[in-house]
Amino acid sequence: EVIRDEKGKWILRYNFFLRKYSIFIAELCGILDSLLLLRKQIYDEVTIQSDNLEVVEAIYDNKLECSNSTLVRRIQ
């Protein structure tokens, strides 16, 4: 994961190990971890970019019918 400021400068880069999870779950976990790190750094506004349409749709879906709704809800 790479976290950048509004000018594109790297703030933080990190890796994490997820056992055998799908790409979908790994993306959601990466987004949530990034948001939690940024919260600790007192960032008020963030933009999340993902090239995974399934992840983007899950985050923006208000119905939360996916099996990972708890993870998605925490991101929201």
Side-chain angles (χ1 to χ4, degrees), residues 4-74:
R4 300 176 189 262
D5 67 11
E6 66 278 358
K7 296 177 183 173
K9 183 179 175 186
W10 282 21
I11 297 172
L12 178 67
R13 179 179 181 187
Y14 67 96
N15 295 319
F16 57 94
F17 176 75
L18 292 173
R19 298 178 191 257
K20 273 190 149 179
Y21 288 105
S22 68
I23 293 170
F24 179 77
I25 296 296
E27 285 273 339
L28 289 175
C29 289
I31 290 169
L32 181 59
D33 285 348
S34 296
L35 290 172
L36 293 173
L37 284 170
L38 289 169
R39 178 190 258 174
K40 288 180 183 179
Q41 298 294 323
I42 312 173
Y43 282 90
D44 294 331
E45 295 181 25
V46 298
T47 300
I48 299 169
Q49 293 181 333
S50 175
D51 60 356
N52 188 322
L53 183 58
E54 183 182 8
V55 168
V56 173
E57 288 176 342
I59 292 170
Y60 283 100
D61 182 16
N62 291 327
K63 297 173 188 168
L64 294 176
E65 295 174 2
C66 70
S67 61
N68 304 297
S69 61
T70 302
L71 186 55
V72 172
R73 227 183 336 266
R74 289 188 67 199

